[in-house]
Structures are given as C-alpha cells and as structure tokens.
Amino acid sequence: MKLKLPALMAGICIAAQVPSYACTGITLKSADGATIAARTIEWAESIMNSLYVVVPRNCSLQSLTPTGQNGIKFTSKYGFVGLAVEQKEYMVEGINEMGLSAGLFYFPNYGKYVPYDPVQNEKSLADFQLVEYVLSQCASVDQVKEVLAGVRVVNLDPRSSTVHWRFTEPSGRQIVLEIVDEQMHFYENPLGVLTNSPGLQWHLTNLNNYINLEPGTVAQHPFGPLQMNNLGHGSGMLGLPGDFTPPSRFVRAAFFQVTAPQQPTAKRSVTQAFHILNNFDIPSGSEEQLGKTLADLPSATQFTVASDTQNRMLYYRTMYNSNIRCIDLKSIDFNKVAYHAEPLDKTHDQPVEMLTIK
C-alpha cells in the first residue's frame, strides 16, 4: 500500500490555515438499545477524494511518519469499514465488526502532540491514521485507552492542525481523546456532542450560558402597557446561536439532540440523525469572504455519516447524492474479503427521480 504523502500534506496544511473544516457530531439512542454516532465532514476548498475502505482481519498495516512509511506496524485483529479523505489510509470515521465507532475532528490551536523523534518510529502513529489503528485493535473504549497508552501520536507536518477524536461502543459509552501539551486526556462524553476547538470540557461548561433555551413556544405575557405576542412557533429557542463557529454548532447540536424524541428502532434513529444534521449543512460561499474565487462545490459539507454500533451498520450520504446508502458489516466475511477502497460517489451528479403524471 503506497501512501501518497505530498497530496495529503497539502490538504492538511490548507486545512490548518482556513476555517473550512467544521465537523459536527451527535449521538442518539433508540428505545431498542442502539446507539447511533453521526457526524458531518466539511471542506470548502476543493473536492475531496472521499472513499469507503474495507479492511479484513489479519491485514498488515503501517503508519507514516514525517520521514516515510516507517512508523508503527500493526495487524488488524478486527475487520472494519472506514470513510477516508484524499487516500484510503486516512480515515475520518469508521466502525469495526465489534461495533466500536471512531471519528476524527479538527482541533486547531488547542492541541499539541509530542515532537517527532525518528528514534521512536516503531511507536509513532500519524494522527490521521489513529482511527484506522483503533478500529483494527479495539472492541471497547477501555481498550482504546490501553492500546494508545504506548503510542506516540505525531503530525506529518508541523504546519498542519491538530485533531481530537471520539470513540463510541455499543453500550452507549463514549469518550473523547484530546492531546494537549503533549499529554493524552480522555474525557467521558455522556452528552455525545462534539465539534472543534476549544476542548470538550470548555464546550460543556459553555452550555450553562444557554439554560434559558426550551423547545416549543413561550407563553404570551404583558410588557408594561403592551401585550407581547409570539410571532411564530419556536420562540423558546430565541437566543440559540445560528453561526458556524464550533461553540455555536455545539450548542445548537446539543439542543436539537436533547429535544429530539427518542425513536423506537435504530433505523428510525439513523434517519432522525440525518435530519438533525441537515441543520449543519454549510452552503458553499458562506465561510469565505465576498469576492473570493470559490471551489465548484454544491456544499461545503462533503458528506454525512451515521454508525449503528449495535447492528454494525454504516450509513452515509454526500453533497452529490443525498440518498442514504448503507454498508452492513454483518454481511462481510472479514476473513475472506480483500482490502479495498471505493469512491463514495461513482458520479458527481445528484440523482433526480422523474415522476410520470397521467
């Protein structure tokens, strides 16, 4: 598996310099006990080479380092399916046959990895390959902590942004990993929402500024000599931030998640997750200054993905095709399937169903 380092490095370095990555993650739990981890992937600068990747059991893998493909070597204990950007090894989201979900979110200006040391290449893991590493080795969030304890997570280029990660197991337990001041910090995330910088603990504290929010419509009341009337439904949401900054998206995602009615089945929760995440689709041009030449993209949200950790199913849709597609890991024989990668979209054109009217 030859890794194309220059192309990836260019993408990562651009992402470190412009506010184009704005991933938003939510977690839903259905009445049948399933946990759905869902999120968006944003990139407004160009069309990403987005792929789904199938990795069998007992597959030999190796991480890149800043000096080549000479990092940590590992063999997959578990088969898994991941969604990758730019090249197949760089998975931003995925799920393995044990139902463990893993995802990468940008974390600029707040994280700091250990310095790269070529003497310790055998322990070095590129941050963009951590999802691949964890899905290949772990069945639970406790195992995530164990296997990463002896790993040195490194940047492939000092100009690139840091990232943080979330891991969700079928029990519903979710943790977030942030590497700050060269130290790994794992946080329990019972809320299940994640965006970008600042860190998770800051975002959870910031929710205290929005305790006035409530679903529905507030009651009418007099305001001095005037009778104040509601202008429409949803007045309980007045003050809900609507911009695309990570703090605002975190508050909005938390509000929509906790007010969403619990669905009876995993499948219903999956479709609900896609509907909630519609609110975080970022129109092309909205994040760039007027007059800037924009990439020819239908949306800055390049794809949205949901993982059913109980039933081992991965769902996705893209900016080119809003139909939801599904990969059922239970239908894959991970002892026999070959390692392979396929584009998320065969064509860059939204299918339209034509109706015949008689």
Side-chain angles (χ1 to χ4, degrees):
M1 303 174 194
K2 186 176 180 181
L3 307 185
K4 299 177 287 185
L5 180 59
L8 176 75
M9 297 306 296
I12 295 178
C13 292
I14 292 172
Q17 298 166 18
V18 297
S20 300
Y21 246 114
C23 308
T24 301
I26 61 172
T27 308
L28 299 177
K29 298 179 181 180
S30 57
D32 63 3
T35 298
I36 309 301
R39 53 91 57 89
T40 64
I41 295 285
E42 275 77 28
W43 175 240
E45 292 298 302
S46 61
I47 299 172
M48 289 195 299
N49 179 34
S50 300
L51 311 161
Y52 72 79
V53 187
V54 180
V55 181
R57 299 186 197 114
N58 303 311
C59 182
S60 297
L61 303 163
Q62 186 172 19
S63 177
L64 276 173
T65 74
T67 56
Q69 190 179 354
N70 53 13
I72 187 171
K73 294 180 179 179
F74 52 103
T75 300
S76 56
K77 295 180 181 179
Y78 306 108
F80 59 97
V81 175
L83 300 190
V85 295
E86 294 306 318
Q87 58 188 67
K88 58 187 181 297
E89 293 79 12
Y90 291 87
M91 298 176 192
V92 295
E93 188 73 22
I95 183 173
N96 69 16
E97 60 179 311
M98 303 305 292
L100 182 70
S101 166
L104 171 158
F105 293 69
Y106 262 82
F107 190 48
N109 304 318
Y110 282 81
K112 182 181 180 182
Y113 306 148
V114 295
Y116 170 63
D117 181 359
V119 175
Q120 303 196 61
N121 274 347
E122 74 281 356
K123 296 181 180 179
S124 297
L125 176 66
D127 57 355
F128 260 60
Q129 288 183 265
L130 190 144
V131 167
E132 176 186 57
Y133 182 73
V134 163
L135 292 178
S136 74
Q137 304 297 308
C138 304
S140 68
V141 296
D142 282 332
Q143 288 182 11
V144 173
K145 296 180 179 181
E146 293 170 7
V147 302
L148 291 180
V151 169
R152 292 174 59 88
V153 178
V154 298
N155 262 336
L156 295 181
D157 188 290
R159 297 169 294 173
S160 60
S161 170
T162 53
V163 298
H164 58 177
W165 300 263
R166 73 169 183 179
F167 310 99
T168 311
E169 64 181 34
S171 71
R173 186 179 171 201
Q174 182 180 109
I175 61 173
V176 170
L177 166 62
E178 296 176 347
I179 303 177
V180 178
D181 293 330
E182 303 178 12
Q183 298 293 320
M184 287 189 179
H185 301 274
F186 290 95
Y187 302 103
E188 298 290 330
N189 189 17
L191 179 61
V193 173
L194 190 64
T195 56
N196 312 107
S197 302
L200 175 64
Q201 297 297 93
W202 185 96
H203 284 294
L204 293 175
T205 301
N206 184 52
L207 290 178
N208 290 312
N209 292 314
Y210 297 92
I211 59 173
N212 60 295
L213 297 177
E214 59 180 296
T217 303
V218 298
Q220 297 179 354
H221 61 85
F223 189 77
L226 303 176
Q227 179 68 34
M228 306 305 293
N229 298 312
N230 289 301
L231 300 178
H233 293 293
S235 56
M237 296 166 53
L238 284 171
L240 184 70
D243 61 79
F244 294 132
T245 62
S248 294
R249 285 185 286 107
F250 193 99
V251 173
R252 203 156 67 251
F255 180 84
F256 292 144
Q257 178 181 297
V258 300
T259 58
Q262 186 180 51
Q263 299 299 310
T265 65
K267 185 178 179 181
R268 291 278 295 274
S269 290
V270 167
T271 56
Q272 183 181 53
F274 280 102
H275 283 298
I276 291 174
L277 290 175
N278 282 338
N279 294 276
F280 301 90
D281 279 353
I282 299 179
S284 291
S286 62
E287 289 192 313
E288 307 293 353
Q289 293 183 351
L290 288 174
K292 178 180 177 179
T293 301
L294 303 176
D296 185 18
L297 300 174
S299 172
T301 302
Q302 300 222 358
F303 60 87
T304 303
V305 54
S307 294
D308 177 350
T309 60
Q310 181 185 66
N311 298 297
R312 281 63 163 171
M313 304 178 83
L314 183 146
Y315 299 79
Y316 74 89
R317 70 180 182 203
T318 72
M319 62 179 175
Y320 288 111
N321 187 345
S322 57
N323 292 336
I324 298 172
R325 286 154 278 177
C326 179
I327 300 173
D328 186 349
L329 275 69
K330 300 187 301 301
S331 68
I332 301 172
D333 186 340
F334 285 106
N335 284 323
K336 296 181 178 179
V337 71
Y339 182 111
H340 66 280
E342 301 288 343
L344 294 190
D345 293 303
K346 290 184 170 59
T347 61
H348 290 175
D349 189 30
Q350 171 65 48
V352 177
E353 180 183 359
M354 299 301 296
L355 302 180
T356 300
I357 307 299
K358 296 183 180 179

